[in-house]
Amino acid sequence: MQRIPHIVLAFGAVLLGLAAGAQPYTTDPSRLPLPIVDGDVPILEPRGMALYDPMDLDHPLEPEITIENVTDLGYDVRYVFKNTSGSPRPIGRLDIGILALGERIRMYDHGNISTWRDFEHGTFSGVGWPYPGNAYSPVMVVMNQTHAVGISLMYPVMEYKHDALIRLSRVGGIFRGPPEKLGWMVTFDLSDAPGVTQYTRLSYQAVVQPGETRAYTVAIRAMARPDLSGSVTSPQEWLTLLDPYRAYFQSRYGSVQYDRRTKPVLAREVANNGAIEATNRRGLGGGVNRPDRVGFAPMANAIVRENLGYDSVMLWAPSGMFYNNQELNYPSRFTAGWLDLPKLRTATDSIGLPSIPRSGKELGLWWGHSARHMDRWDDNESEPLDPSNPVHMELVHTQLDLAEQAGATLIGLDAFTHAHMPVWAQVPYLQHLKQRYPEMSFITEQVSSDLVHVVTPTFNRAFQAEAGMSDEEDFHRLDRPAYLADYLLPGHEIWGYFRYSDIVRRSSSVIDASRLQRDAERIARNGYVPVISSSLPLISPSLTFADATWLTTVPGHSGNQDSTGDGGGGSEDGQDTNGTGDSDATIPPPDGKAEEPRSKPDNPTPPRVYYITLPDGRRLKIRTTGS
């Protein structure tokens, strides 16, 4: 198979060093994709690019390739790899041919956030996400001015136990095409390519053992470009391009396995790096009432008496911070650290942390570096947490037993990453924790892939603060719903964490209760649970309940699961509690156009109230009728 060089620029807008390298050229029709054409408009062209690239790996397997489920604007490519040799063999790259989309394209970014990004062929050098490490799902959606294309990879991740690198690249040479049909390429790397970089290295590569057979399917679907000018919560018609993946995913993994919460959460730090000094080695707050001096009762009492409009509070660094090894903060010994000092042992006393849930407020504890094991406080040695290691699990159970004694029912799992614990280990580990501690909810950070999101809620940073930002909406990192989560897992829960310290450093605006209320509502309207770090009160807490955005973003209202009844941003009796109906700030539509959003579809549940933010900032209140 002849290989054609692919020349790229050295720098790119999103990730660097993701050029696809040389690509395999073939004239064998059994190794070529089928063209996809809408009338006289070409969307996908073979141009001699083979459907499989062995990437010059040592002794890669050659697959059997078939094309199935052919429709007018799409089909599936099925790859079957059989290892009949006596040694393990790697798998290379799955290609789909050339997308003839021209100079400018738009790509849906689901690597930790949900947004659209625009690229030009002349300056683009590549984008890539590993799945299930960074990408929410193994899919790519791109569009030009006339058409949209969705490509998805389907394979049993939990059984095969390897990653896939999802790439978008521009192509050159004989693959390039004329100016109006400049070529783009979407590929899936199942093994590390020669010359692998930090951006393209897979944590777990695909290796087929002797006598083993593995099958993969890549689904390609195209459609006329849908209208993107409406509200960000309007139906996202492009999601239907991923119907094959949704059907596969839901048939294997089902729906969410938790009850969704929607109410806002107050974020509180028990300790922080800024307070660390020789006389306060754990960086604990509270001054003369520091927990290591007087116990937890004063701090717990203050939280009980606080009336900021939250029913839940999450405590970060509940046992303090590391003094000598600050690079390992937040400490993984999030409750075991209480056992080191007599006064910290009062965390589980009746007048300590248990007084918080006794007052009616839900208590959460943030488990720092939760996928790491550390057997001593402030040590410079740690290792990945291994659920099969009895010593590791003994400490896990000890820590959660202490959290249970403190009355905690929310556990935030800090840095719960695929790199430290692979997803196929995370899922059974989380299921074990949920079975052993059924009263607890576990929330993973950063935002998890779809596989883990089935099992537990997840957590994302909702704020950003960069040079040049000034308007309120600029500081919101999550500016639209998590569309893939809405589509695959209606009923899902994602926390959106928001704090003001970074924003104040970048902006001269005054942060008051009205501003906080607007920010919390903006987070909630996009479907995220507001997690707010501030001492200011919520003016109208009921307007900050996370919306069930899948009721409006999923085309045809196919997301038919509802939230627990707290969502929708309205008060319990359906009345507007702020008296104005216009407290939300504007959420700009993706194309900057001012077309009025479509109304939300009927909800086949008891009557509820929903709110939609119009492009001019006004809010519509929609009351559904029951069925």
Side-chain angles (χ1 to χ4, degrees):
M1 185 180 296
Q2 184 180 359
R3 298 182 64 81
I4 305 298
H6 176 176
I7 301 173
V8 300
L9 299 180
F11 300 97
V14 179
L15 293 178
L16 309 181
L18 283 171
Q23 290 300 313
Y25 178 86
T26 185
T27 57
D28 182 351
S30 69
R31 314 299 279 182
L32 287 170
L34 297 178
I36 298 177
V37 181
D38 187 9
D40 59 355
V41 179
I43 300 172
L44 186 149
E45 297 182 330
R47 297 187 189 176
M49 181 177 287
L51 283 167
Y52 175 68
D53 181 359
M55 299 195 305
D56 293 332
L57 299 172
D58 293 333
H59 310 296
L61 292 175
E62 285 291 334
E64 298 175 4
I65 301 176
T66 55
I67 294 179
E68 306 169 338
N69 301 322
V70 179
T71 67
D72 290 341
L73 291 176
Y75 51 82
D76 299 342
V77 183
R78 182 170 174 80
Y79 302 80
V80 177
F81 296 86
K82 298 179 180 179
N83 187 356
T84 58
S85 74
S87 60
R89 295 290 180 87
I91 299 177
R93 173 181 295 153
L94 311 183
D95 294 329
I96 65 160
I98 306 300
L99 299 175
L101 298 180
E103 173 64 25
R104 295 178 179 83
I105 64 167
R106 170 167 285 190
M107 177 203 75
Y108 177 61
D109 185 348
H110 54 94
N112 292 326
I113 58 174
S114 171
T115 193
W116 290 99
R117 301 194 186 280
D118 296 317
F119 299 115
E120 294 188 6
H121 196 277
T123 57
F124 186 66
S125 67
V127 171
W129 315 289
Y131 174 84
N134 293 92
Y136 187 80
S137 301
V139 304
M140 179 74 73
V141 176
V142 292
M143 61 181 67
N144 64 4
Q145 292 76 20
T146 62
H147 289 84
V149 184
I151 304 100
S152 50
L153 171 65
M154 291 163 281
Y155 71 106
V157 181
M158 297 295 291
E159 289 81 10
Y160 288 1
K161 299 182 179 180
H162 71 76
D163 299 351
L165 182 70
I166 308 151
R167 291 177 179 260
L168 172 65
S169 309
R170 64 174 186 169
V171 293
I174 64 170
F175 301 128
R176 177 182 175 88
E180 70 278 7
K181 296 193 295 182
L182 289 175
W184 302 81
M185 178 175 61
V186 173
T187 60
F188 299 94
D189 287 8
L190 305 186
S191 298
D192 284 341
V196 65
T197 72
Q198 61 178 311
Y199 303 104
T200 57
R201 183 174 289 107
L202 296 174
S203 297
Y204 305 91
Q205 301 182 57
V207 178
V208 185
Q209 299 301 319
E212 186 180 13
T213 297
R214 289 189 176 181
Y216 302 81
T217 298
V218 175
I220 309 164
R221 299 292 187 272
M223 66 188 303
R225 173 174 168 145
D227 182 13
L228 296 180
S229 63
S231 163
V232 295
T233 56
S234 295
Q236 304 297 305
E237 302 297 340
W238 56 271
L239 284 169
T240 60
L241 295 167
L242 306 177
D243 276 350
Y245 180 75
R246 183 177 66 165
Y248 177 83
F249 180 85
Q250 293 182 345
S251 69
R252 292 191 69 88
Y253 307 112
S255 57
V256 294
Q257 298 172 8
Y258 49 85
D259 293 328
R260 183 183 191 240
R261 71 180 62 246
T262 61
K263 293 183 178 182
V265 177
L266 177 65
R268 278 280 183 263
E269 288 183 331
V270 176
N272 62 69
N273 280 333
I276 295 174
E277 56 185 9
T279 58
N280 186 10
R281 295 173 65 88
R282 294 207 180 196
L284 291 159
V288 296
N289 287 325
R290 273 172 26 197
D292 60 333
R293 289 177 171 174
V294 300
F296 275 91
M299 185 193 73
N301 187 48
I303 293 173
V304 168
R305 289 186 287 105
E306 222 170 23
N307 184 20
L308 301 180
Y310 301 88
D311 293 335
S312 304
V313 58
M314 174 71 76
L315 302 182
W316 266 254
S319 57
M321 305 288 266
F322 289 162
Y323 178 78
N324 293 314
N325 300 283
Q326 296 186 28
E327 71 280 2
L328 294 175
N329 286 331
Y330 296 104
S332 63
R333 296 177 68 85
F334 78 116
T335 59
W338 293 337
L339 304 178
D340 303 329
L341 301 174
K343 293 298 183 182
L344 294 187
R345 289 175 177 264
T346 64
T348 58
D349 287 355
S350 176
I351 60 173
L353 296 182
S355 65
I356 297 173
R358 208 165 50 243
S359 73
K361 293 183 178 180
E362 190 170 20
L363 174 64
L365 300 176
W366 192 255
W367 185 345
H369 282 85
S370 61
R372 305 289 295 179
H373 171 80
M374 182 173 285
D375 57 12
R376 292 181 298 278
W377 182 265
D378 206 358
D379 190 19
N380 62 359
E381 294 184 2
S382 68
E383 58 184 320
L385 175 61
D386 180 2
S388 67
N389 186 322
V391 174
H392 290 195
M393 291 306 294
E394 182 180 5
L395 179 58
V396 166
H397 295 154
T398 295
Q399 297 220 89
L400 289 176
D401 287 348
L402 287 167
E404 185 176 50
Q405 293 167 31
T409 52
L410 299 173
I411 304 294
L413 299 179
D414 175 75
F416 195 71
T417 65
H418 179 65
H420 290 155
M421 182 189 294
V423 159
W424 39 90
Q426 287 182 20
V427 170
Y429 170 73
L430 290 167
Q431 289 171 334
H432 163 75
L433 296 186
K434 291 174 62 177
Q435 182 177 13
R436 184 180 176 101
Y437 302 96
E439 77 285 358
M440 289 183 177
S441 295
F442 298 89
I443 303 95
T444 61
E445 183 269 347
Q446 269 267 357
V447 65
S448 295
S449 60
D450 49 15
L451 285 168
V452 179
H453 204 191
V454 171
V455 182
T456 61
T458 192
F459 177 104
N460 210 343
R461 175 169 55 87
F463 73 93
Q464 59 187 356
E466 299 175 6
M469 291 182 174
S470 58
D471 296 336
E472 288 183 18
E473 61 266 26
D474 293 342
F475 298 102
H476 282 262
R477 181 170 177 262
L478 307 179
D479 63 355
R480 66 199 64 222
Y483 294 136
L484 281 183
D486 282 359
Y487 198 52
L488 299 175
L489 292 171
H492 68 83
E493 178 183 333
I494 303 179
W495 289 26
Y497 174 65
F498 205 86
R499 72 178 184 215
Y500 289 98
S501 54
D502 303 84
I503 294 172
V504 169
R505 285 193 290 269
R506 293 288 189 185
S507 172
S508 59
S509 59
V510 176
I511 309 299
D512 55 16
S514 295
R515 167 70 179 273
L516 183 144
Q517 178 73 25
R518 292 194 299 273
D519 287 334
E521 287 190 40
R522 184 186 294 271
I523 295 167
R525 294 297 73 77
N526 285 328
Y528 307 100
V529 175
V531 183
I532 308 295
S533 177
S534 174
S535 59
L536 294 168
L538 291 169
I539 297 173
S540 300
S542 63
L543 292 179
T544 65
F545 296 175
D547 278 0
T549 50
W550 57 87
L551 297 174
T552 59
T553 62
V554 175
H557 189 74
S558 54
N560 56 9
Q561 295 190 37
D562 201 357
S563 69
T564 58
D566 295 324
S571 63
E572 293 181 359
D573 63 0
Q575 299 302 309
D576 187 0
T577 57
N578 68 358
T580 63
D582 61 357
S583 65
D584 271 2
T586 303
I587 302 176
D591 283 338
K593 299 178 183 178
E595 182 174 318
E596 186 167 302
R598 283 163 271 188
S599 299
K600 297 193 177 185
D602 290 338
N603 178 13
T605 61
R608 294 188 54 198
V609 173
Y610 302 98
Y611 289 83
I612 293 179
T613 302
L614 299 178
D616 63 3
R618 293 181 296 113
R619 299 178 66 224
L620 290 180
K621 180 171 67 177
I622 298 178
R623 184 179 181 87
T624 66
T625 58
S627 59

